[in-house]
Amino acid sequence: MSGQTLLDRYEAVVGPPVIRHLRQLGDHLAGLRVVHVNSTRSGGGVAEILNRFVPLMRALGIDTVWEVLTGTEAFFDATKTIHNALQGSSKGLATEMMRAFEATNEANAERLRPLLEEADFVFIHDPQPAPLLAFCPNRRGKWIWRCHIDVSRPNRKVWRYLRRWVAPYDADIFSLADFAQPLPHLQYLIPPSIDPLSEKNTDLSDDEVRWTLERHGIDPSRPLVVQVSRFDRFKDPLGVIEAYRLCRRHQDLQLVLAGGGASDDPEGAVVLEEVLAAAAGDADIHVLVLPDDAHRTINALQRGATAVMQKSTKEGFGLTVSEGLWKHKPVIGGDTGGIRLQVMDRFNGYRVRTPQGAALRLRHLLQHPNQARRMGENAHHHVRENFLITRQLRSVLALMAALRA
Ligand code: UDP
């Protein structure tokens, strides 16, 4: 699809002034070379965003490419440890993990150096590729560290280690103010976003939603709560099962826990085993392990839900929250991180801290369908105003224009 046609399609959703503004910024930046680097092509929120963001930047005339780190098992074990530690886990980073982390970055820098050193802008997503900058001594462009995770209360030792790698960047971007750590460069706050035109979020017919539920053994005529997440402890899938069970004592209900693996997440299989064990013997709990490209299936599951759940105990942003809200669903979300930006208590869902709290709110929504419907309308509106990709793109382009000047 030509850039023109792609942008026209967004115009139909967000209106002409928004697209006009994007085009103006694009004209200013046209021809610049931009590289995004992260550590997985699929699975997780960063891949989800880049998949949609990169074509849009290209449509605006900016020469944008997306590169993915290749790494060993030891590297991904190290980066998962870093990720967990930045979100508060006390487990530190052993010396051999640091070595694997640095060696993989050095090897990737060998492969990517010409591209990275020549680029006008390099966006490095999350901690995994952070050391690349140190291995590109002749860089000519601006480098931005884009942190998607909740580093509000990091394991101090691990943060000090990572800080060494990110301090030399020209700027950083955090999703919200609470996460921003003091760093000696420009700092920007830009929350992530969802794409209303992606397979994950586009409108679906009622028939497709019903058919998808039935195909997975779910009864479309009965109440359903859905959580879509990687199998990760911070997403608290066991807490979701507990909330479902508490609610189920009073109320007919089905539960879907849908997730897949991210290639940079080595812990997923263990957590999935725990979830399957906790769900065993209950035919109304559907643990769905989906392929990476199951976007339409996830879309239909979210649309078929009576309420969407995202009971994380730590969450950088939680794209799945905006995905649920966009589909007119009240969302019951953990009272943490980026979920606080998206879920306004009693306006478009509820923020909860415990399985008991989640069960209480869920039961309330199931028993008050009119209120749930009103919240669902607020939910859609809140995302339209704040969390669509066009808004994120505008912020990133404005940042580039400012840094370039
Ligand atoms: N997702 C997916 N398949 C899965 C699990 C998640 O496509 O099996 C998507 C989900 O719809 C969302 C993203 O991956 O778009 C997860 O982003 P989020 O910010 O919620 O969490 P993260 O995984 O980045 O911690």
Side-chain angles (χ1 to χ4, degrees), residues 44-45 48 200 228-230 235 259-260 295 298 315 318-320 323:
E48 184 84 16
K200 179 72 56 63
V228 175
S229 278
R230 290 179 293 106
K235 310 285 185 186
H295 302 300
I298 289 174
E315 190 60 79
L319 288 178
T320 50
E323 289 164 7

Side-chain angles (χ1 to χ4, degrees), residues 170-324:
D170 298 296
D172 62 53
I173 305 174
F174 288 94
S175 294
L176 59 160
D178 280 354
F179 298 172
Q181 290 287 330
L183 282 162
H185 52 227
L186 289 168
Q187 297 198 294
Y188 293 84
L189 297 177
I190 305 180
S193 61
I194 63 160
D195 185 339
L197 299 182
S198 68
E199 292 265 281
K200 179 72 56 63
N201 297 309
T202 189
D203 280 346
L204 298 180
S205 69
D206 292 347
D207 278 351
E208 181 167 353
V209 172
R210 197 180 53 248
W211 173 78
T212 306
L213 295 185
E214 284 169 353
R215 189 159 48 96
H216 289 92
I218 302 154
D219 181 348
S221 67
R222 293 174 51 210
L224 172 67
V225 60
V226 170
Q227 173 160 308
V228 175
S229 278
R230 290 179 293 106
F231 292 99
D232 179 309
R233 293 211 173 83
F234 287 119
K235 310 285 185 186
D236 198 16
L238 299 182
V240 176
I241 292 178
E242 196 182 335
Y244 154 85
R245 290 227 160 94
L246 290 168
C247 189
R248 184 69 210 260
R249 284 187 197 157
H250 311 276
Q251 177 78 47
D252 181 36
L253 186 59
Q254 306 168 94
L255 167 66
V256 164
L257 286 168
S263 62
D264 62 347
D265 182 357
E267 269 174 20
V270 181
V271 177
L272 174 60
E273 284 306 313
E274 293 169 7
V275 169
L276 289 171
D282 187 333
D284 283 328
I285 302 181
H286 303 267
V287 180
L288 306 179
V289 180
L290 300 172
D292 284 346
D293 59 353
H295 302 300
R296 248 185 133 84
T297 304
I298 289 174
N299 186 344
L301 292 169
Q302 289 166 329
R303 286 183 191 278
T306 321
V308 162
M309 179 90 81
Q310 189 57 56
K311 217 202 93 33
S312 308
T313 54
K314 281 277 180 180
E315 190 60 79
F317 182 69
L319 288 178
T320 50
V321 173
S322 273
E323 289 164 7

Side-chain angles (χ1 to χ4, degrees), residues 73-92:
E73 210 175 304
F75 171 74
F76 288 115
D77 283 343
T79 57
K80 185 70 185 180
T81 304
I82 294 176
H83 181 101
N84 289 347
L86 294 180
Q87 298 210 131
S89 150
S90 58
K91 187 179 167 205

Side-chain angles (χ1 to χ4, degrees), residues 338-388:
I339 295 176
R340 291 186 179 143
L341 283 183
Q342 301 174 79
V343 176
M344 308 290 129
D345 223 16
R346 283 185 273 271
F347 174 72
N348 59 5
Y350 294 102
R351 297 205 298 248
V352 298
R353 291 183 170 269
T354 59
Q356 290 73 11
L360 202 71
R361 297 316 196 181
L362 187 53
R363 198 172 150 206
H364 182 86
L365 287 174
L366 296 174
Q367 290 177 349
H368 299 87
N370 285 337
Q371 196 183 344
R373 205 166 302 121
R374 272 198 306 277
M375 284 176 150
E377 293 315 310
N378 295 341
H380 181 76
H381 187 72
H382 188 56
V383 174
R384 175 182 293 282
E385 292 304 307
N386 298 290
F387 300 119
L388 293 186

Side-chain angles (χ1 to χ4, degrees), residues 37-39 68-72 74-76 78-79 82 97-113 116 124-136 143 145 161-162 165-166 169:
V37 186
N38 82 323
S39 62
V68 175
L69 286 189
T70 50
T72 57
F75 171 74
F76 288 115
T79 57
I82 294 176
M97 282 187 168
M98 293 180 197
R99 242 181 251 132
F101 179 59
E102 293 160 24
T104 292
N105 271 284
E106 191 171 5
N108 278 274
E110 284 300 320
R111 179 171 62 91
L112 299 172
R113 191 169 291 120
L116 294 175
I124 296 291
H125 294 264
D126 279 341
Q128 297 94 329
L132 283 178
L133 179 142
F135 298 114
C136 291
W143 283 54
W145 184 53
Y161 170 72
L162 185 69
W165 300 108
V166 297
Y169 280 69

